[in-house]
Coordinates of all heavy atoms in Angstrom, one line a residue:
M1 N 18.4 -4.5 -6.7 CA 17.8 -4.1 -5.5 C 17.3 -2.7 -5.5 O 16.3 -2.4 -4.9 CB 18.8 -4.4 -4.3 CG 18.1 -4.0 -3.0 SD 18.5 -4.6 -1.5 CE 20.1 -4.9 -1.1
K2 N 18.0 -1.8 -6.2 CA 17.6 -0.4 -6.3 C 16.2 -0.3 -6.9 O 15.4 0.5 -6.4 CB 18.6 0.4 -7.2 CG 18.2 1.8 -7.2 CD 19.2 2.6 -8.0 CE 18.9 4.1 -8.2 NZ 17.7 4.6 -7.7
E3 N 15.9 -1.1 -7.9 CA 14.6 -1.0 -8.6 C 13.5 -1.5 -7.6 O 12.4 -0.9 -7.5 CB 14.6 -1.9 -9.8 CG 13.2 -1.9 -10.6 CD 13.3 -2.8 -11.8 OE1 14.3 -3.0 -12.4 OE2 12.2 -3.3 -12.1
L4 N 13.8 -2.5 -6.8 CA 12.9 -3.0 -5.8 C 12.6 -1.9 -4.7 O 11.4 -1.6 -4.4 CB 13.4 -4.2 -5.1 CG 12.6 -4.8 -4.0 CD1 11.2 -5.2 -4.5 CD2 13.3 -6.0 -3.4
I5 N 13.6 -1.2 -4.3 CA 13.5 -0.1 -3.3 C 12.7 1.0 -3.9 O 11.8 1.6 -3.2 CB 14.9 0.3 -2.8 CG1 15.5 -0.8 -2.0 CG2 14.7 1.6 -1.9 CD1 16.9 -0.6 -1.6
D6 N 13.0 1.3 -5.1 CA 12.2 2.4 -5.8 C 10.7 2.1 -5.9 O 9.9 2.9 -5.6 CB 12.8 2.7 -7.2 CG 14.2 3.4 -7.1 OD1 14.5 3.9 -6.0 OD2 14.8 3.4 -8.2
N7 N 10.4 0.8 -6.2 CA 9.1 0.4 -6.3 C 8.4 0.4 -5.0 O 7.2 0.9 -4.9 CB 9.0 -1.1 -6.9 CG 7.7 -1.4 -7.5 OD1 6.8 -0.6 -7.5 ND2 7.6 -2.7 -7.9
I8 N 9.0 0.0 -3.9 CA 8.5 0.1 -2.6 C 8.2 1.5 -2.2 O 7.2 1.8 -1.6 CB 9.4 -0.6 -1.6 CG1 9.5 -2.1 -1.8 CG2 9.0 -0.3 -0.1 CD1 10.5 -2.9 -1.0
S9 N 9.1 2.4 -2.5 CA 9.0 3.8 -2.2 C 7.7 4.4 -2.9 O 7.0 5.2 -2.3 CB 10.2 4.6 -2.6 OG 11.3 4.2 -1.8
V10 N 7.5 4.1 -4.1 CA 6.4 4.6 -4.9 C 5.1 4.1 -4.3 O 4.1 4.9 -4.0 CB 6.5 4.2 -6.4 CG1 5.1 4.5 -7.1 CG2 7.6 4.9 -7.1
I11 N 5.0 2.9 -4.0 CA 3.8 2.3 -3.4 C 3.5 2.8 -2.0 O 2.4 3.1 -1.6 CB 3.8 0.8 -3.5 CG1 3.8 0.3 -4.9 CG2 2.6 0.2 -2.7 CD1 3.9 -1.2 -5.1
M12 N 4.6 3.0 -1.2 CA 4.5 3.5 0.1 C 4.0 5.0 0.1 O 3.2 5.3 1.0 CB 5.9 3.5 0.8 CG 5.9 3.8 2.3 SD 4.8 2.6 3.1 CE 5.1 3.0 4.7
E13 N 4.5 5.7 -0.9 CA 4.0 7.1 -1.0 C 2.5 7.1 -1.3 O 1.7 7.9 -0.8 CB 4.8 7.9 -2.0 CG 4.4 9.4 -2.1 CD 4.6 10.1 -0.8 OE1 5.5 9.8 0.0 OE2 3.8 11.0 -0.5
T14 N 2.1 6.2 -2.2 CA 0.6 6.1 -2.5 C -0.2 5.8 -1.2 O -1.2 6.4 -1.0 CB 0.4 5.0 -3.6 OG1 1.1 5.4 -4.8 CG2 -1.0 4.8 -3.9
F15 N 0.4 4.8 -0.5 CA -0.3 4.4 0.8 C -0.4 5.6 1.7 O -1.4 5.9 2.3 CB 0.5 3.3 1.4 CG 0.1 3.0 2.9 CD1 -1.1 2.3 3.1 CD2 0.8 3.6 3.9 CE1 -1.5 2.1 4.4 CE2 0.4 3.3 5.2 CZ -0.8 2.6 5.5
R16 N 0.7 6.3 1.9 CA 0.8 7.5 2.8 C -0.3 8.5 2.4 O -1.0 9.0 3.3 CB 2.2 8.1 2.8 CG 2.7 8.4 4.1 CD 4.1 9.0 4.1 NE 5.1 8.0 4.2 CZ 6.1 7.7 3.3 NH1 6.2 8.5 2.3 NH2 6.9 6.8 3.5
E17 N -0.3 8.9 1.1 CA -1.2 9.9 0.7 C -2.7 9.5 0.9 O -3.5 10.3 1.4 CB -1.0 10.2 -0.8 CG 0.3 10.9 -1.2 CD 0.5 10.9 -2.7 OE1 -0.4 10.6 -3.4 OE2 1.6 11.4 -3.0
N18 N -3.0 8.3 0.6 CA -4.4 7.8 0.7 C -4.8 7.6 2.2 O -5.9 8.0 2.6 CB -4.6 6.6 -0.1 CG -4.7 6.8 -1.6 OD1 -5.5 7.6 -2.0 ND2 -3.8 6.3 -2.3
A19 N -3.9 7.1 3.0 CA -4.2 7.0 4.4 C -4.4 8.3 5.1 O -5.3 8.5 5.9 CB -3.0 6.2 5.1
R20 N -3.6 9.3 4.7 CA -3.7 10.7 5.2 C -5.0 11.3 4.8 O -5.7 11.9 5.6 CB -2.5 11.5 4.8 CG -2.6 13.0 5.3 CD -2.5 13.1 6.8 NE -1.4 12.5 7.3 CZ -1.2 12.3 8.6 NH1 -2.1 12.7 9.5 NH2 -0.1 11.7 9.1
T21 N -5.4 11.1 3.5 CA -6.7 11.6 3.1 C -7.9 11.0 3.8 O -8.8 11.7 4.2 CB -6.8 11.4 1.5 OG1 -5.7 12.0 0.9 CG2 -8.1 11.9 1.0
Q22 N -7.8 9.7 4.1 CA -8.8 9.0 4.8 C -8.9 9.6 6.2 O -10.0 9.9 6.7 CB -8.6 7.5 4.9 CG -9.7 6.8 5.7 CD -9.5 5.4 5.9 OE1 -8.4 4.9 5.8 NE2 -10.6 4.6 6.2
L23 N -7.8 9.8 6.8 CA -7.7 10.2 8.2 C -8.2 11.7 8.3 O -9.0 12.0 9.2 CB -6.3 10.1 8.8 CG -6.0 10.6 10.2 CD1 -6.8 9.7 11.1 CD2 -4.6 10.5 10.5
D24 N -7.7 12.6 7.4 CA -8.0 14.0 7.5 C -9.4 14.3 7.0 O -10.1 15.2 7.6 CB -7.0 14.8 6.7 CG -5.6 14.7 7.3 OD1 -5.5 14.3 8.5 OD2 -4.6 15.1 6.6
K25 N -9.8 13.7 6.0 CA -11.1 14.1 5.3 C -12.2 13.0 5.4 O -13.3 13.2 4.9 CB -10.8 14.4 3.8 CG -9.9 15.5 3.6 CD -9.6 15.8 2.2 CE -8.6 16.9 2.0 NZ -8.4 17.2 0.6
G26 N -11.9 11.9 6.0 CA -12.9 10.8 6.1 C -13.2 10.2 4.8 O -14.3 9.6 4.6
N27 N -12.3 10.2 3.8 CA -12.6 9.7 2.5 C -12.5 8.2 2.4 O -11.4 7.6 2.6 CB -11.6 10.4 1.5 CG -11.9 10.0 0.1 OD1 -12.3 8.9 -0.3 ND2 -11.7 11.0 -0.8
K28 N -13.6 7.5 2.3 CA -13.7 6.1 2.3 C -12.9 5.5 1.1 O -12.3 4.4 1.3 CB -15.1 5.6 2.4 CG -15.8 5.9 3.7 CD -17.2 5.3 3.7 CE -17.9 5.7 5.0 NZ -19.3 5.1 5.0
S29 N -13.0 6.1 0.0 CA -12.4 5.6 -1.2 C -10.8 5.6 -1.0 O -10.1 4.7 -1.5 CB -12.7 6.4 -2.4 OG -14.1 6.2 -2.7
A30 N -10.4 6.7 -0.4 CA -8.9 6.8 -0.1 C -8.5 5.6 0.8 O -7.4 5.1 0.7 CB -8.6 8.1 0.5
G31 N -9.3 5.3 1.8 CA -9.1 4.2 2.7 C -8.9 2.9 1.9 O -8.0 2.0 2.2
L32 N -9.8 2.7 0.9 CA -9.7 1.5 0.1 C -8.4 1.4 -0.7 O -7.8 0.4 -0.8 CB -10.9 1.4 -0.9 CG -11.0 0.3 -1.9 CD1 -11.1 -1.1 -1.2 CD2 -12.1 0.5 -2.8
R33 N -8.1 2.6 -1.2 CA -6.8 2.6 -2.0 C -5.6 2.4 -1.1 O -4.6 1.7 -1.5 CB -6.7 4.0 -2.7 CG -7.7 4.2 -3.9 CD -7.4 5.4 -4.7 NE -7.5 6.6 -3.9 CZ -8.6 7.4 -3.7 NH1 -9.7 7.0 -4.3 NH2 -8.6 8.5 -3.1
A34 N -5.6 2.9 0.1 CA -4.5 2.7 1.1 C -4.4 1.2 1.5 O -3.3 0.6 1.5 CB -4.8 3.5 2.3
R35 N -5.6 0.6 1.7 CA -5.5 -0.9 2.0 C -5.0 -1.7 0.8 O -4.2 -2.6 1.0 CB -6.9 -1.4 2.4 CG -7.4 -0.8 3.7 CD -8.7 -1.4 4.2 NE -9.8 -1.2 3.4 CZ -10.6 -0.2 3.4 NH1 -10.3 0.8 4.2 NH2 -11.6 -0.1 2.6
R36 N -5.4 -1.3 -0.4 CA -4.9 -2.0 -1.6 C -3.4 -1.8 -1.7 O -2.7 -2.8 -2.0 CB -5.6 -1.5 -2.8 CG -5.4 -2.3 -4.0 CD -6.2 -1.9 -5.2 NE -7.6 -2.0 -5.0 CZ -8.5 -1.1 -5.3 NH1 -8.1 0.1 -5.9 NH2 -9.8 -1.2 -5.0
A37 N -2.9 -0.6 -1.4 CA -1.5 -0.4 -1.5 C -0.7 -1.2 -0.4 O 0.4 -1.8 -0.7 CB -1.2 1.1 -1.3
S38 N -1.3 -1.4 0.7 CA -0.7 -2.2 1.8 C -0.6 -3.7 1.3 O 0.4 -4.3 1.7 CB -1.4 -2.1 3.1 OG -2.7 -2.8 3.1
L39 N -1.6 -4.1 0.6 CA -1.5 -5.5 0.1 C -0.4 -5.7 -1.0 O 0.2 -6.7 -1.1 CB -2.9 -5.9 -0.5 CG -4.0 -6.1 0.5 CD1 -5.3 -6.4 -0.2 CD2 -3.6 -7.3 1.5
E40 N -0.2 -4.6 -1.7 CA 0.9 -4.6 -2.8 C 2.3 -4.6 -2.1 O 3.2 -5.1 -2.6 CB 0.7 -3.4 -3.7 CG -0.5 -3.5 -4.6 CD -0.6 -2.3 -5.5 OE1 0.4 -1.7 -5.8 OE2 -1.7 -2.0 -5.9
L41 N 2.3 -3.9 -1.0 CA 3.6 -3.8 -0.3 C 4.1 -5.1 0.3 O 5.3 -5.3 0.4 CB 3.5 -2.7 0.8 CG 3.6 -1.3 0.4 CD1 3.3 -0.4 1.6 CD2 5.0 -1.0 -0.1
E42 N 3.2 -5.9 0.8 CA 3.6 -7.1 1.6 C 4.6 -8.0 0.8 O 5.7 -8.3 1.3 CB 2.4 -7.9 2.0 CG 2.7 -9.0 2.9 CD 1.5 -9.8 3.4 OE1 0.4 -9.5 2.9 OE2 1.6 -10.7 4.2
P43 N 4.3 -8.4 -0.4 CA 5.2 -9.3 -1.1 C 6.5 -8.6 -1.5 O 7.6 -9.2 -1.5 CB 4.5 -9.7 -2.4 CG 3.3 -8.8 -2.5 CD 3.0 -8.2 -1.2
L44 N 6.4 -7.3 -1.8 CA 7.6 -6.5 -2.1 C 8.6 -6.5 -0.9 O 9.8 -6.6 -1.0 CB 7.3 -5.1 -2.6 CG 6.6 -5.0 -3.9 CD1 6.2 -3.6 -4.2 CD2 7.4 -5.6 -5.0
L45 N 8.0 -6.3 0.3 CA 8.8 -6.2 1.5 C 9.4 -7.5 1.9 O 10.6 -7.6 2.3 CB 8.0 -5.6 2.7 CG 7.6 -4.2 2.5 CD1 6.6 -3.8 3.6 CD2 8.8 -3.3 2.6
K46 N 8.7 -8.6 1.6 CA 9.2 -10.0 1.8 C 10.4 -10.2 0.9 O 11.4 -10.8 1.2 CB 8.1 -11.0 1.6 CG 7.2 -11.1 2.8 CD 6.1 -12.1 2.6 CE 5.2 -12.2 3.7 NZ 4.2 -13.2 3.6
R47 N 10.2 -9.8 -0.4 CA 11.3 -9.9 -1.4 C 12.5 -9.1 -1.0 O 13.6 -9.6 -1.1 CB 10.8 -9.5 -2.8 CG 11.7 -10.0 -3.9 CD 10.9 -9.9 -5.2 NE 11.8 -9.1 -6.1 CZ 11.4 -8.3 -7.0 NH1 10.1 -8.1 -7.2 NH2 12.3 -7.7 -7.8
F48 N 12.3 -7.9 -0.5 CA 13.4 -7.1 0.0 C 14.1 -7.8 1.1 O 15.4 -7.8 1.1 CB 12.9 -5.7 0.5 CG 14.0 -4.9 1.1 CD1 14.9 -4.3 0.3 CD2 14.1 -4.8 2.5 CE1 16.0 -3.6 0.9 CE2 15.1 -4.1 3.1 CZ 16.0 -3.5 2.3
R49 N 13.4 -8.4 2.1 CA 14.1 -9.0 3.2 C 15.0 -10.2 2.6 O 16.2 -10.3 3.0 CB 13.1 -9.6 4.2 CG 12.5 -8.6 5.1 CD 11.8 -9.2 6.2 NE 10.7 -10.1 5.9 CZ 9.5 -9.7 5.7 NH1 9.1 -8.5 5.8 NH2 8.6 -10.6 5.3
K50 N 14.5 -10.9 1.7 CA 15.3 -12.0 1.1 C 16.5 -11.5 0.3 O 17.6 -12.0 0.5 CB 14.4 -12.8 0.1 CG 15.1 -14.0 -0.5 CD 14.2 -14.8 -1.4 CE 14.9 -15.9 -2.0 NZ 14.1 -16.7 -3.0
V51 N 16.3 -10.5 -0.5 CA 17.4 -9.9 -1.3 C 18.4 -9.3 -0.4 O 19.6 -9.4 -0.6 CB 16.9 -8.9 -2.4 CG1 18.0 -8.2 -3.0 CG2 16.0 -9.7 -3.4
S52 N 18.0 -8.6 0.6 CA 18.9 -7.9 1.5 C 19.7 -8.9 2.3 O 20.9 -8.7 2.5 CB 18.0 -7.0 2.5 OG 18.9 -6.4 3.4
L53 N 19.1 -9.9 2.8 CA 19.8 -11.0 3.5 C 20.9 -11.6 2.6 O 22.0 -11.9 3.0 CB 18.8 -12.0 4.0 CG 19.4 -13.1 4.9 CD1 20.1 -12.4 6.2 CD2 18.3 -14.0 5.4
E54 N 20.5 -11.9 1.4 CA 21.4 -12.5 0.4 C 22.6 -11.6 0.1 O 23.7 -12.0 0.0 CB 20.7 -12.9 -0.9 CG 19.8 -14.1 -0.7 CD 19.0 -14.3 -2.0 OE1 19.0 -13.6 -2.9 OE2 18.3 -15.4 -2.0
A55 N 22.3 -10.3 0.0 CA 23.4 -9.3 -0.2 C 24.3 -9.2 0.9 O 25.5 -9.0 0.8 CB 22.8 -8.0 -0.6
S56 N 23.8 -9.3 2.2 CA 24.7 -9.1 3.3 C 25.4 -10.4 3.7 O 26.4 -10.4 4.4 CB 23.8 -8.7 4.5 OG 22.9 -9.7 4.9
N57 N 24.9 -11.6 3.2 CA 25.6 -12.8 3.5 C 25.6 -13.7 2.3 O 24.6 -14.5 2.1 CB 24.9 -13.5 4.7 CG 25.6 -14.7 5.2 OD1 26.6 -15.1 4.6 ND2 25.2 -15.2 6.3
P58 N 26.6 -13.6 1.4 CA 26.6 -14.3 0.2 C 26.6 -15.9 0.3 O 26.1 -16.6 -0.5 CB 27.9 -13.9 -0.5 CG 28.4 -12.7 0.3 CD 27.7 -12.8 1.6
N59 N 26.9 -16.4 1.5 CA 26.9 -17.8 1.7 C 25.5 -18.4 1.8 O 25.3 -19.5 1.5 CB 27.7 -18.2 3.0 CG 29.1 -17.9 2.9 OD1 29.7 -17.9 1.9 ND2 29.7 -17.5 4.0
L60 N 24.5 -17.5 2.1 CA 23.1 -18.0 2.2 C 22.5 -18.2 0.8 O 21.6 -18.9 0.7 CB 22.3 -17.0 2.9 CG 22.5 -16.9 4.4 CD1 21.6 -15.8 5.0 CD2 22.2 -18.2 5.1
A61 N 23.1 -17.6 -0.2 CA 22.5 -17.6 -1.6 C 22.8 -19.0 -2.2 O 22.2 -19.4 -3.1 CB 23.1 -16.5 -2.4
Q62 N 23.8 -19.7 -1.6 CA 24.2 -21.0 -2.3 C 23.3 -22.1 -1.9 O 22.6 -22.4 -1.0 CB 25.6 -21.4 -1.9 CG 26.5 -20.3 -2.4 CD 28.0 -20.6 -1.9 OE1 28.2 -21.4 -1.0 NE2 28.9 -19.9 -2.5

């Protein structure tokens, strides 16, 4: 789970930087990169919810 959280953090930071660049400087390319990062985050966050739920309730994993 630690590796998953680390991966989410890296992509989230990429999203944050590019979204901020788009907002502050109007950089359209940064907006594209931010949207791409958001698409990468979605399956990782779904996976995190599943893993987190399994870790908090071992009976669900069976």
Side-chain angles (χ1 to χ4, degrees):
M1 180 154 36
K2 181 177 178 355
E3 183 179 328
L4 178 59
I5 293 170
D6 290 343
N7 199 3
I8 290 170
S9 295
V10 167
I11 296 173
M12 190 61 173
E13 185 57 33
T14 299
F15 168 79
R16 224 180 268 124
E17 289 172 7
N18 286 301
R20 179 60 59 191
T21 300
Q22 181 187 20
L23 181 64
D24 293 344
K25 299 179 181 178
N27 186 321
K28 291 181 182 179
S29 296
L32 176 64
R33 290 189 299 270
R35 291 188 298 276
R36 191 174 298 138
S38 72
L39 291 174
E40 291 177 27
L41 280 170
E42 186 179 8
L44 294 175
L45 292 171
K46 286 181 180 182
R47 194 165 130 214
F48 172 77
R49 283 193 303 268
K50 181 179 178 183
V51 170
S52 177
L53 186 59
E54 289 172 356
S56 66
N57 191 350
N59 295 330
L60 289 177
Q62 296 176 348

